[in-house]
Amino acid sequence: MALNNNEKTISLIPEPLKKGDKVAVICLSSGVIGEPYCAHEKELGLRCLRRFGLEPVFTEHALMGADYIMAHPEARAADLKAAFLDDSVKGIITSIGGFETFRTFPYLMEDEEFINAVRQHPKFFLGFSDTTNNHFMLRRLGLQTFYGQAFMCDLAELSGDMLPYSKAQFESCFAPYQGRKITSSDVWYEERTDFSAAAVGTMPVSHREERGFELLQGSAVFEGELLAGEFEKCPQLDADLGMQSELTRRYSIFPTADEWRGKILFAETSEVTPPPEMLREYLAALEREGVFEGLNGIIVGKPLNERYYDEYKAVWCDAVGNRSIPIVYNVNFGHAAPRAILPYGAVARVDADMQEMTLLR
């Protein structure tokens, strides 16, 4: 798809959610929500959305199962297109992440009807992890999207209700985000090891937050437009990924070096919790792409289970190199629960001394 300059910035701002809205739950990566062993999570998520006053529906292929979803990227793409074409659908929520949403790109970025649907029917879009690539794709088409939560990981919380911090963040999506403050959660949670029906009604293991937002270098206060996600799922950053990298470059999914100027990079590591040396490789790839050259600052998500907590800190400082770029660490977004919701393209003011980030506009 040919791009012009005005397609490189966000110009389409979706309406906040409101009670009575129909929201589509979609599988763009993994299709496990369609497996029988996830039936209890599906029901918990539906009940949660209904308690918010929303009308949840699953897209046509979302419940076809993991094998079907993996084998049919065209079906996943068709579901996203249908959701944007349906005027009755006001929001789209991803079921969970995964590993290869990039295979939907040719079916979407070469489809003028889909591109026009996004532009003519902008909708609230929420997800994280592998969904980073969908966020970048929709940003390329001009749509503001929201990074931070997913149906299975947050709305279908096995305790029977969303974790309090995450719930407050989701509730904030029912109003314009301007002026919203994101602060450090008082507690953090370990990843569950039991997702079976037997775990329904139990709380995940929790810990008191002892560190809060940590300033690793640079000024404690900085502003910029939010951009990024889980960079492990950005195939352009690894030349050995073959078709993934080729498709990402073909459709200009990953932002150019110029597009990173003046931005706040928000970045997090996945549930895989890569070893520190692998993190170093990812950050070296970001540097090769020119990401660090003109940044206004960086915020880094809390590592899952706080694994490699101190080691990751050291890698970030070493890899960025330029000591004038502020880095704030241990922010509540990404794979570690609880999760904040970050709007792509929002101008944020980060104040590490005050332990808060304010979404300005």
Side-chain angles (χ1 to χ4, degrees):
M1 184 190 71
L3 295 170
N4 57 49
N5 289 335
N6 64 17
E7 291 176 308
K8 293 184 178 181
T9 58
I10 289 172
S11 58
L12 304 170
I13 311 300
E15 292 292 323
L17 295 175
K18 64 180 185 298
K19 290 185 182 297
D21 278 353
K22 181 187 290 187
V23 293
V25 179
I26 192 168
C27 294
L28 291 169
S29 298
S30 169
V32 294
I33 192 64
E35 297 297 326
Y37 57 79
C38 290
H40 58 290
E41 294 181 89
K42 180 183 73 174
E43 291 306 314
L44 285 168
L46 290 174
R47 288 178 207 166
C48 183
L49 285 171
R50 288 170 182 145
R51 285 197 297 271
F52 280 111
L54 298 170
E55 179 188 345
V57 295
F58 287 100
T59 56
E60 180 180 357
H61 303 98
L63 300 179
M64 297 290 284
D67 289 345
Y68 180 90
I69 290 295
M70 177 65 74
H72 293 281
E74 77 284 357
R76 287 178 265 153
D79 280 2
L80 188 61
K81 177 180 176 178
F84 274 103
L85 283 170
D86 187 344
D87 282 339
S88 71
V89 170
K90 305 302 181 183
I92 302 168
I93 300 174
T94 56
S95 171
I96 198 170
F99 294 97
E100 47 87 74
T101 191
F102 72 92
R103 293 173 61 209
T104 64
F105 292 162
Y107 302 101
L108 297 168
M109 296 300 280
E110 295 184 21
D111 186 335
E112 289 297 328
E113 188 177 22
F114 167 74
I115 293 169
N116 290 333
V118 171
R119 292 171 173 165
Q120 294 169 12
H121 310 275
K123 301 175 192 292
F124 176 86
F125 179 91
L126 177 67
F128 75 109
S129 192
D130 192 37
T131 307
T132 298
N133 286 291
N134 304 114
H135 288 297
F136 282 153
M137 178 190 73
L138 292 169
R139 176 185 179 275
R140 182 59 71 217
L141 300 179
L143 179 66
Q144 180 172 61
T145 59
F146 296 78
Y147 188 90
Q149 298 184 1
F151 180 84
M152 292 183 70
C153 306
D154 298 279
L155 293 153
E157 161 58 39
L158 291 176
S159 63
D161 197 2
M162 295 182 77
L163 300 173
Y165 182 99
S166 299
K167 184 175 184 179
Q169 284 289 303
F170 189 78
E171 287 172 337
S172 71
C173 296
F174 287 77
Y177 62 78
Q178 289 81 357
R180 182 192 311 167
K181 292 185 183 297
I182 295 172
T183 58
S184 179
S185 173
D186 293 335
V187 297
W188 63 273
Y189 303 87
E190 293 183 16
E191 183 183 27
R192 289 182 181 270
T193 57
D194 181 4
F195 292 90
S196 72
V200 172
T202 67
M203 287 293 294
V205 176
S206 64
H207 301 270
R208 182 175 179 81
E209 178 58 67
E210 301 290 347
R211 301 177 175 94
F213 296 172
E214 286 198 64
L215 179 66
L216 303 188
Q217 65 176 45
S219 172
V221 181
F222 54 95
E223 293 183 11
E225 184 180 309
L226 295 171
L227 179 60
E230 188 214 320
F231 51 84
E232 292 171 62
K233 301 293 172 62
C234 298
Q236 180 155 335
L237 301 184
D238 190 337
D240 296 327
L241 289 176
M243 181 176 68
Q244 300 181 52
S245 181
E246 191 277 325
L247 288 177
T248 306
R249 292 183 186 277
R250 181 193 304 174
Y251 301 112
S252 303
I253 300 299
F254 194 75
T256 65
D258 186 59
E259 290 176 273
W260 288 102
R261 295 187 181 279
K263 303 297 193 294
I264 294 176
L265 165 69
F266 65 90
E268 53 119 353
T269 46
S270 74
E271 75 282 4
V272 176
T273 57
E277 285 310 307
M278 186 173 292
L279 174 62
R280 192 179 298 277
E281 292 178 11
Y282 287 129
L283 297 186
L286 288 176
E287 184 176 34
R288 288 193 299 271
E289 292 289 328
V291 172
F292 298 145
E293 292 177 7
L295 287 179
N296 282 12
I298 299 170
I299 59 172
V300 183
K302 174 185 278 292
L304 186 65
N305 294 337
E306 290 199 341
R307 189 180 184 198
Y308 300 129
Y309 187 94
D310 291 322
E311 294 90 337
Y312 283 173
K313 285 201 301 184
V315 170
W316 271 101
C317 290
D318 289 345
V320 172
N322 183 348
R323 295 295 178 180
S324 68
I325 297 178
I327 303 177
V328 174
Y329 188 72
N330 197 40
V331 182
N332 298 110
F333 69 90
H335 282 76
R339 275 176 275 273
I341 295 176
L342 304 180
Y344 278 78
V347 175
R349 183 176 188 267
V350 179
D351 189 328
D353 290 337
M354 294 297 293
Q355 292 284 291
E356 65 183 25
M357 177 168 61
T358 305
L359 304 178
L360 301 175
R361 58 185 185 278

